[in-house]
Amino acid sequence: MKPFKRGRFALIAHLALVGMTSVLAAQSVACDLSPVTQQREPWTLEQFADLMGKATFHQTPYEETHVSQILTEPLLSKGTLSFTRPSRLEKHVFSPHEERYVIEGGSLLWEDIVNGTIKELLLEDYPVLLSFVEGFRAVLAGDLSTLNNWFTLNLSGSLNNWNLTLTPRDEEMIRQFVTAIRFTGKEGKITGIEIQEASGDHSILTITTERK
């Protein structure tokens, strides 16, 4: 196990967003609930997992705003996100600085395209980061059992307007890195995602309809 540095976690956190926000571009998947049930019954974790497990994914453009105590104003970035089953997550940033992040299997690759720098690490060497990534992968796979191993889940709302909050079970992660991850969505699509960091910083990522 290697010493863990916050800077490396920030990189992984951005990558983890790739998988989850890729769901925003997922094709709609039919829900097996009748119209009456959709209106009257609460939206459940089992229904959420079923939709995620059936969803198909596409590369999609995004805009992300990061608010930090060390910045005088929010940092805006733009790029594309993609997820390829079973475990490849990619985030390609176009601005303000072109770079690419890829998680595939048990490895992480970061590429600074402007400067030609490439770095790679193994997730198993960083258990806290591994749990963070595996939690996101479990959502994409509709694997509630694995997801519950890493996070406490709180789902509210209805099929057409739901809110999902993930709270890490790992006390070290909460103390040093992320306190909550919040999602909003409609049926099988996520419409918003926010990561709240222990430092007080937070990021909000939204999907755009076309690349800018």
Side-chain angles (χ1 to χ4, degrees):
M1 185 183 304
K2 296 183 179 180
F4 183 74
K5 297 182 180 180
R6 182 178 176 80
R8 286 198 176 115
F9 175 80
L11 188 152
I12 294 285
H14 281 294
L15 277 170
L17 279 175
V18 173
M20 290 307 303
T21 51
S22 292
V23 179
L24 287 159
Q27 293 180 346
S28 296
V29 179
C31 181
D32 59 3
L33 300 178
S34 67
V36 173
T37 301
Q38 291 182 27
Q39 292 176 8
R40 296 181 180 178
E41 296 298 324
W43 176 226
T44 69
L45 285 169
E46 288 74 20
Q47 292 163 7
F48 176 85
D50 183 60
L51 287 179
M52 294 301 100
K54 293 177 180 177
T56 55
F57 304 92
H58 308 280
Q59 184 180 75
T60 182
Y62 75 88
E63 292 185 357
E64 182 177 14
T65 301
H66 184 74
V67 179
S68 173
Q69 299 178 37
I70 65 174
L71 300 176
T72 57
E73 59 184 28
L75 176 65
L76 176 65
S77 62
K78 300 180 181 181
T80 59
L81 308 168
S82 64
F83 171 68
T84 304
R85 296 184 186 276
S87 62
R88 180 184 172 86
L89 311 175
E90 180 171 346
K91 182 176 187 178
H92 191 160
V93 182
F94 297 118
S95 67
H97 183 84
E98 189 173 10
E99 54 191 351
R100 190 169 68 99
Y101 305 89
V102 179
I103 290 180
E104 186 166 13
S107 66
L108 161 68
L109 181 143
W110 168 71
E111 179 181 7
D112 183 328
I113 296 175
V114 175
N115 297 320
T117 302
I118 298 178
K119 295 182 180 181
E120 188 172 5
L121 60 83
L122 296 178
L123 295 175
E124 65 181 13
D125 291 333
Y126 306 91
V128 173
L129 303 187
L130 177 61
S131 66
F132 189 84
V133 171
E134 289 299 346
F136 276 90
R137 284 176 173 169
V139 173
L140 290 173
D143 185 352
L144 277 184
S145 177
T146 298
L147 188 58
N148 275 302
N149 286 338
W150 305 117
F151 299 95
T152 297
L153 312 177
N154 181 16
L155 183 67
S156 61
S158 64
L159 175 67
N160 292 319
N161 182 22
W162 52 263
N163 296 273
L164 176 65
T165 300
L166 278 60
T167 303
R169 293 185 182 277
D170 190 304
E171 294 183 0
E172 180 182 356
M173 184 183 292
I174 293 176
R175 183 174 63 255
Q176 297 187 35
F177 309 118
V178 170
T179 59
I181 307 164
R182 299 183 179 90
F183 305 92
T184 57
K186 177 180 180 180
E187 297 182 347
K189 292 186 177 182
I190 295 171
T191 57
I193 178 171
E194 179 178 359
I195 289 185
Q196 186 67 51
E197 299 180 33
S199 64
D201 296 354
H202 68 277
S203 61
I204 300 173
L205 193 150
T206 57
I207 293 300
T208 56
T209 55
E210 60 182 20
R211 185 180 301 179
K212 297 182 179 180

